[in-house]
Each structure stands twice: as structure tokens, then as C-alpha cells.
């Protein structure tokens, strides 16, 4: 049995069988709705059920509380169709030319960028270009069936290399292996590209908005990919890049981020540390999103791209949209949630 899913306001439609979650069915039809973790954790795929019946499946109450269910909301990555549906979701794009693929990759290099951050360079099979939008992520497909998500930290390049910034989770299932066991030439399997965290084109040249890029810790990775892509294309944009970390070591590519200011006209880089300022630190301190609001109290004309811990994303979204007057649709985020123990 297959149901017809219609998206509002664009009227795009796609088929969905009851066994496939609504996000996967949309992606299978090459329609990209906003999404992040594909795991019920980030809430980015929230949609309103205008008509029809859904099964909420494994939607966690923490992300989709009863009150939201009663108000007709659903998480597309967890919900399944029980009838034809009309769904309202804020943005839909077609990505016909960027297929999601599973493929092997070889570790080219591992480099410690900070005590708890490893730069991982992956080489993909030659002669078969891996296409992605700067800002997207890949999943490692682990031997036990689990998957772990990491943002691509470089712009697309001819040599089919991917750079990742992996933060160590000491009691984690996968990242300790990156620090202690994996070595160059090891083979891993990935799936990608995934996610809807990429720079939106302005509808007209006159409508190009000023941008705020907000990164927490390794959340700099997808923003690095976007900045490097803009530099490669000689694009000039008004960008205020705020990078927050607990301490100076956490700003592990601070020199590079400073250098972007001369490579990309219009980019300003503001590093922020949240611990007490050490000797010799003359920069900003405190919560990184507070630094944004201190400098830019009126965000009503801005578009924001935020990446990092779920706590940082939620605090920034709430404060920017209330105190800063940012339109909710102009807040784009990738929350670095943890995978659920039972995998995807
Ligand atoms: C779209 C996306 C992009 C990401 N990009 C990056 C990136 O570029 N760099 C980066 O460093 N990280 C990134 N992350 C986060 C990264 O995927 C997680 O940190 C990952 O789960 C770590 O894997 P692990 O196996 O080492 O830890 P895990 O085994 O996943 O465990 C992590 C921690 O969470 C706890 N935990 C696990 N499940 C639960 C649960 N259900 N309830 C409570 N606690 C739990 C564990 O005990 C442990 O402390 C991204 C995440 C997403 C969703
Ligand atoms: S909750 Fe569905 S994509 Fe994150």
C-alpha cells in the first residue's frame, strides 16, 4: 500500500509506504525538507499534519511532547503515514543532482587539532566525484549496524577528499576509536551527503541578507566548508562569524579563521571563550550567542547559520528570535546530537 504525501505550501508530492518514515520517503523522491539528525533528537524535521493520520513511531517525547502531537505536529524522520497526508513544512528543495550514496573510504591522515579534536582526512574512491553541498554531513556506517554523523569540513574539491573534525566523547562508542585505534589506510564505510544545512541562495541580488555564522566547538566544521566554498568562488558576503569554545585550545583553527578575513571580503571573525579569560586573552568572553546579541541587537534583517551542541542551538534560537527579532525561518541550524544507542 502506498499513500500520497502532499507538502504545503509548495504542493510537491511524493509516495510513502507505511514502513518508510516520511523523511526517507521525501528524500527517496529527491525532495529535501529541513532535517538534521534523522534520529528524533534535533527537531529540525518538525512538520504540521494538515490532514490525514500519522503514526509517530519512535518520536521521543523529549523532542515531540504530547502537547505538540495534539497540536498536529510530527517529526518526519520518525513518523509513518497511515493515510494520504497533507503536511506543512517550511522549506522544500529538490536536490536531483546530489545522490545520497553508501561507499567505502580510506583514512588518509589523522591529525590532533586540540587535545579532544582530531582532523580526519578521508579519501573516497577515485574517478567517481562525491557531490555535496558545503555544510552537509556524512554518517559512518559501523560494523555493528550503528551510525555516527560528522560534518564535512571542506568545500567540494577535485581530489575527492573529505575533512572531518571529530570531537572525542570519552565514553562514546565510536570516537575513542578514532583517537586510539584507527590509523591511516584503514577502510571505513560512509553514507552521504546528508542534511539540509547549506547556504540558501538569495531570491534576487538585491535581497542578499547579512549573515551570522555561529559555531560552538567542532560546529566550526560545516561553516568552514561554506566559507571555503565562498572563497573558492570569489563571492563577497557580509558575514559575522562567531566561534565559541570553552578555552583557547578549543579554537583549534583560530589562525585560519583570522586569515579568512582577508580571503573573503565582508567576513568578520569574532572568537569567544566561555571559561575565565586566561592571561594574554584580549578577545571576547562569555556565551557565544550573547556576544552576537551584544554586537547585533537587531537581527531582523539577518539570516543565521548555527552549528554546535543542541543546548547552544536552542539558546541561540530562543534569544535571537525573541530579543533579536530574527524571523524563525531565517534560523538554520545543525545540532550535534548524540546517536541513539539502537542506531538509525
Ligand atoms: C548532523 C550531525 C553532525 C555532526 N557533526 C559532528 C562533527 O562534525 N564533529 C563532531 O565532533 N561531532 C559531530 N556530531 C556529533 C556526533 O555525531 C556525536 O558526538 C556522536 O554520537 C559521537 O559518537 P560516539 O560513538 O563517540 O559517542 P556515543 O556512543 O554516541 O555516545 C555519546 C555520549 O552520549 C551518551 N548517550 C548516548 N545515547 C544517549 C541517550 N539516548 N541518552 C543519554 N545519553 C546518551 C553516551 O553515554 C556518551 O556519553 C554531529 C551530529 C549530528 C547529528
Ligand atoms: S528530529 Fe528529525 S531530523 Fe532530527
Amino acid at each position: 500500500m502506498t499513500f500520497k504525501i502532499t507538502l504545503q505550501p509548495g504542493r510537491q508530492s511524493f509516495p510513502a509506504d507505511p514502513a518508510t518514515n516520511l523523511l526517507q520517503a521525501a528524500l527517496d523522491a529527491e525532495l529535501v525538507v529541513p532535517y538534521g539528525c534523522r534520529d528524533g533528537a534535533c527537531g529540525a524535521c518538525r512538520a504540521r499534519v494538515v490532514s490525514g493520520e500519522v503514526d509517530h513511531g519512535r518520536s521521543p517525547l523529549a523532542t515531540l511532547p504530547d502537547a505538540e502531537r495534539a497540536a498536529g505536529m510530527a517529526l518526519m524522520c520518525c513518523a509513518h503515514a497511515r493515510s494520504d497526508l497533507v503536511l506543512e513544512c517550511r522549506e522544500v528543495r529538490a536536490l536531483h543532482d546530489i545522490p545520497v550514496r553508501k561507499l567505502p573510504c580510506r583514512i588518509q591522515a589523522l591529525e590532533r587539532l586540540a587535545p579532544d579534536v582530531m582532523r580526519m582526512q578521508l579519501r573516497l574512491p577515485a574517478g567517481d566525484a562525491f557531490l555535496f553541498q558545503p555544510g552537509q554531513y556524512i554518517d559512518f556506517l559501523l560494523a555493528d549496524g550503528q551510525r555516527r554523523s560528522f560534518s564535512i569540513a571542506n568545500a567540494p574539491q577535485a581530489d575527492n577528499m573529505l575533512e572531518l573534525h571529530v570531537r572525542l566523547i570519552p565514553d562514546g562508542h565510536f570516537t575513542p576509536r578514532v583517537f586510539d585505534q584507527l590509523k591511516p589506510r584503514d577502510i571505513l564505510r560512509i553514507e552521504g551527503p546528508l542534511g539540509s544545512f547549506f547556504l540558501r541562495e538569495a531570491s534576487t541580488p538585491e535581497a542578499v541578507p547579512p549573515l551570522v555564522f555561529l559555531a560552538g566547538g567542532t560546529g566550526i566544521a560545516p561553516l568552514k566548508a561554506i566559507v571555503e566554498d565562498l572563497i573558492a568562488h570569489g563571492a563577497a558576503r557580509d558575514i559575522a562569524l562567531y566561534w565559541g569554545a570553552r578555552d583557547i585550545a578549543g579554537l583549534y583553527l583560530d589562525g585560519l579563521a583570522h586569515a579568512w578575513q582577508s580571503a573573503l571580503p565582508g567576513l568578520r571573525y569574532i572568537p569567544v571563550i566561555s571559561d575565565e579569560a586566561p592571561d594574554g586573552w584580549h578577545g571576547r568572553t562569555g556565551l557565544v550567542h550573547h556576544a552576537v546579541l551584544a554586537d547585533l541587537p537587531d537581527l531582523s534583517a539577518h539570516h543565521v547559520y548555527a552549528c554546535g551542541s543542541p543546548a547552544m542551538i536552542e539558546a541561540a534560537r530562543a534569544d535571537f528570535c525573541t530579543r533579536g527579532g530574527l524571523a524563525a525561518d531565517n534560523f538554520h541550524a545543525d545540532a550535534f546530537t548524540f546517536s541513539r544507542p539502537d542506531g538509525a
Side-chain angles (χ1 to χ4, degrees):
M1 190 194 307
T2 302
F3 297 117
K4 181 181 178 191
I5 317 300
T6 306
L7 299 174
Q8 283 188 351
R11 305 299 303 168
Q12 302 93 334
S13 64
F14 61 92
D17 67 69
T20 306
N21 70 60
L22 294 169
L23 174 63
Q24 192 56 52
L27 295 175
D28 289 345
E30 299 186 334
L31 291 172
V32 180
V33 296
Y35 76 98
C37 65
R38 300 198 302 167
D39 203 23
C42 72
C45 66
R46 208 180 255 107
R48 195 168 71 82
V49 183
V50 178
S51 68
E53 193 190 335
V54 297
D55 173 349
H56 290 290
R58 58 203 294 273
S59 304
L61 280 171
T63 318
L64 191 72
D66 284 336
E68 287 198 20
R69 291 169 205 231
M73 303 308 288
L75 297 178
M76 289 184 72
C77 69
C78 297
H80 298 253
R82 287 288 170 262
S83 69
D84 289 347
L85 295 173
V86 176
L87 298 178
E88 187 182 279
C89 62
R90 66 185 167 103
E91 190 188 22
V92 186
R93 347 183 99 219
L95 275 188
H96 298 303
D97 46 351
I98 303 194
V100 176
R101 298 190 294 159
K102 292 182 180 165
L103 65 176
C105 61
R106 188 186 291 278
I107 298 177
Q108 179 78 9
L110 291 165
E111 178 196 354
R112 200 66 88 112
L113 294 172
D116 62 347
V117 179
M118 188 75 87
R119 186 190 335 237
M120 209 176 179
Q121 308 265 16
L122 302 176
R123 182 175 289 285
L124 301 176
D128 184 10
F130 181 76
L131 303 174
F132 63 95
Q133 291 265 23
Q136 289 192 288
Y137 70 94
I138 53 119
D139 271 357
F140 283 113
L141 305 176
L142 307 182
D144 58 5
Q146 298 200 43
R147 48 171 78 222
R148 292 292 183 269
S149 307
F150 293 91
S151 301
I152 304 169
N154 59 292
Q157 50 196 45
D159 61 3
N160 251 7
M161 293 282 289
L162 296 185
E163 171 182 334
L164 311 177
H165 299 172
V166 178
R167 184 169 74 90
L168 176 67
I169 306 297
D171 60 347
H173 178 63
F174 174 66
T175 56
R177 274 191 257 165
V178 174
F179 283 71
D180 299 338
Q181 293 174 23
L182 293 176
K183 52 189 186 315
R185 303 195 61 75
D186 283 353
I187 304 282
L188 296 166
R189 275 184 71 71
I190 62 165
E191 181 177 25
L194 298 166
S196 57
F197 188 73
F198 41 74
L199 195 56
R200 278 30 175 196
E201 298 295 335
S203 48
T204 63
E206 300 75 47
V208 177
L211 302 173
V212 172
F213 285 0
L214 176 70
T218 49
I220 195 67
L223 294 170
K224 172 177 179 290
I226 294 172
V227 168
E228 290 186 344
D229 192 61
L230 290 170
I231 293 171
H233 288 91
R237 293 292 298 263
D238 178 352
I239 301 173
L241 165 64
Y242 289 80
W243 186 12
R246 268 201 313 274
D247 50 26
I248 293 178
L251 301 170
Y252 52 84
L253 289 177
D254 186 59
L256 177 68
H258 276 290
W260 288 336
Q261 298 186 111
S262 23
L264 186 59
L267 184 141
R268 304 183 305 288
Y269 166 55
I270 304 98
V272 183
I273 60 171
S274 58
D275 278 356
E276 204 173 307
D279 288 345
W281 176 255
H282 303 295
R284 309 285 289 273
T285 54
L287 294 181
V288 61
H289 82 281
H290 286 172
V292 175
L293 278 174
D295 296 348
L296 303 167
D298 178 3
L299 289 167
S300 55
H302 285 73
H303 287 202
V304 174
Y305 290 78
C307 198
S309 72
M312 183 202 81
I313 300 289
E314 282 321 307
R317 187 198 307 274
D319 284 356
F320 289 179
C321 292
T322 52
R323 289 166 51 198
L326 178 75
D329 281 356
N330 295 335
F331 185 86
H332 306 278
D334 236 0
F336 281 4
T337 54
F338 294 130
S339 296
R340 289 205 244 177
D342 53 349

